[in-house]
Amino acid sequence: MKTEMLDAVERKGLKEDTPYFEIGDIVDVRCRIREGSKERIQVFTGTVIARKGRGINETFTVRRVIGNEGVERIFPLHSPNVVDVKAIRSGKTRRAKLYFLRKRTGKAVRLPQRHSKHTVSK
Amino acid sequence: MAMLLGKKVGMTQVYDESGKLLPVTVIQAGPCAVMQVKTGETDGYNAVQFGFDDVKPSRRNNPETGHAKKANTTPKKFVKEMRLPDNAKPECKIGDLITVSVFAESKSVDVIGTSKGKGFAGVMKRHGFGGFPASHGTERKHRAPGSISSFASDAGHGGNLKKGKKMAGHMGSCRVTTKSHSLVAIDEEKNLLVVKGSVPGSAGGYVIVRSSQKV
């Protein structure tokens, strides 16, 4: 009863069709950014290394290495500011959390490619 | 002014128009039956009595069941009055059902509830005292209140402490009002109010919701 009522409130904030992507995918996250009164869309590209939470609290972590420095961004999946997530390439993985990538450098951060239907080539 | 009785359901999060994630509390409010309308002539003051949460008539004594019967409802677990100003005329009749739609025009609400009990709490938790250092020679006094008075500060108190001295004692399970919660959403179908921020008491506790007195 309690969760029913909480779900009813949460459900209105959920996206109806969440973008499909998997752990290990290289994704383009299109993010709405407000600078003063202007709005623009910023694209962040990287590997999805984790997906956490459920319902409105669901988030995913995208990691990329920019100039020898690892950068991770955590996006709320249902945020209206996360406009779109496009999976570009699938990676072959055997686990749900790819935190081991944090210790890797250079070419080793790339995952072996896997061909899957949900990715869209650029 | 509008008032409604309800139950705290729990907390969750909601996105607003700008994409900000707001912490919100969901309150199941009403429908409340008007149990009694008090007027200046009959009772000496103006008020409307609301009842919330049905209970089996066999669980209540005769006076309570009879009181509810006058309003054509079952006895209620939670009954509270809304005091009206002396010159105001109550808008509702006995037996009316009040729903969350009374808050349709309100932007913010006050919520009154019974806070979670903390038991016998020390001064650091209860009054926010600083305590004593963890080290540098402090022994068995880390969370102590310190001196509670002295000969000089006691002057004029007849050998007693000053009244209202902050000390350890029972904390929580008392009536707490939190003011000016902005009203995020109203669900008339499910009788839900969604207010921003946290509300006193545990989930399932009874609360009084009234339109904000501060504008």
Side-chain angles (χ1 to χ4, degrees):
Chain A
M1 198 53 196
K2 178 189 157 190
T3 45
E4 238 173 68
M5 285 186 274
L6 286 180
D7 281 351
V9 173
E10 259 182 35
R11 217 173 293 133
K12 284 173 195 159
L14 297 182
K15 284 179 186 168
E16 275 171 17
D17 45 344
T18 49
Y20 184 82
F21 58 92
E22 289 171 358
I23 304 292
D25 285 1
I26 292 177
V27 290
D28 269 357
V29 184
R30 286 154 61 79
C31 205
R32 191 179 293 137
I33 283 180
R34 187 165 292 149
E35 286 165 340
S37 59
K38 268 189 197 168
E39 260 192 11
R40 64 182 184 88
I41 302 245
Q42 192 190 54
V43 184
F44 186 80
T45 311
T47 317
V48 180
I49 61 163
R51 220 170 146 150
K52 277 181 168 183
R54 62 183 69 172
I56 201 151
N57 297 320
E58 189 167 348
T59 59
F60 60 98
T61 309
V62 181
R63 178 181 173 86
R64 79 173 296 186
V65 178
I66 304 171
N68 249 346
E69 191 68 50
V71 177
E72 276 181 23
R73 280 186 73 177
I74 303 170
F75 296 97
L77 186 64
H78 292 282
S79 166
N81 288 340
V82 175
V83 183
D84 191 20
V85 184
K86 257 189 202 136
I88 298 162
R89 220 180 79 154
S90 274
K92 202 170 173 184
T93 56
R94 299 185 69 164
R95 54 208 73 222
K97 303 278 189 283
L98 308 182
Y99 295 143
F100 63 87
L101 288 180
R102 289 171 177 167
K103 283 185 183 166
R104 292 195 176 177
T105 53
K107 282 185 178 177
V109 297
R110 296 177 307 174
L111 295 166
Q113 192 173 356
R114 181 170 63 91
H115 295 285
S116 58
K117 281 177 186 163
H118 71 272
T119 52
V120 272
S121 52
K122 263 186 180 172
Chain B
M1 188 190 153
M3 189 182 110
L4 215 54
L5 309 178
K7 223 178 207 182
K8 176 172 165 180
V9 177
M11 289 193 73
T12 179
Q13 290 170 315
V14 160
Y15 286 105
D16 70 356
E17 306 89 50
S18 61
K20 257 191 190 167
L21 199 54
L22 302 177
V24 294
T25 308
V26 181
I27 298 168
Q28 185 195 13
C32 291
V34 176
M35 311 282 280
Q36 193 182 0
V37 177
K38 295 189 172 178
T39 54
E41 298 101 58
T42 52
D43 305 276
Y45 64 100
N46 287 331
V48 180
Q49 193 186 65
F50 296 116
F52 173 71
D53 216 359
D54 292 336
V55 61
K56 267 200 278 182
S58 58
R59 299 263 183 222
R60 285 288 183 267
N61 55 22
N62 275 336
E64 263 183 80
T65 343
H67 182 65
K69 217 169 193 179
K70 278 186 205 160
N72 230 345
T73 58
T74 51
K76 305 288 181 187
K77 271 187 188 167
F78 190 47
V79 179
K80 285 279 172 215
E81 263 177 26
M82 174 171 80
R83 183 77 189 260
L84 297 171
D86 288 341
N87 49 9
K89 279 241 167 109
E91 286 165 12
C92 39
K93 294 193 302 292
I94 187 165
D96 280 0
L97 273 182
I98 312 284
T99 60
V100 284
S101 54
V102 290
F103 289 116
E105 281 163 22
S106 325
K107 274 188 183 152
S108 61
V109 292
D110 296 344
V111 181
I112 302 161
T114 308
S115 62
K116 284 184 186 175
K118 307 288 179 195
F120 193 98
V123 285
M124 284 178 73
K125 188 182 191 133
R126 194 175 183 216
H127 300 296
F129 280 22
F132 287 83
S135 66
H136 294 297
T138 312
E139 273 185 320
R140 306 176 291 278
K141 263 195 168 300
H142 305 285
R143 298 180 67 89
S147 167
I148 50 173
S149 69
S150 68
F151 182 73
S153 70
D154 259 1
H157 290 91
N160 298 314
L161 292 182
K162 276 185 179 172
K163 279 212 171 156
K165 177 83 202 109
K166 289 174 183 172
M167 291 213 247
H170 185 266
M171 182 184 173
S173 17
C174 60
R175 181 186 158 114
V176 174
T177 310
T178 50
K179 288 178 180 173
S180 303
H181 294 275
S182 55
L183 201 53
V184 178
I186 299 175
D187 190 335
E188 295 194 15
E189 217 171 274
K190 292 194 168 71
N191 296 309
L192 298 181
L193 290 174
V194 182
V195 300
K196 190 180 162 192
S198 60
V199 152
S202 52
Y206 288 119
V207 289
I208 303 169
V209 187
R210 63 169 191 223
S211 52
S212 219
Q213 290 175 343
K214 247 200 244 165
V215 181

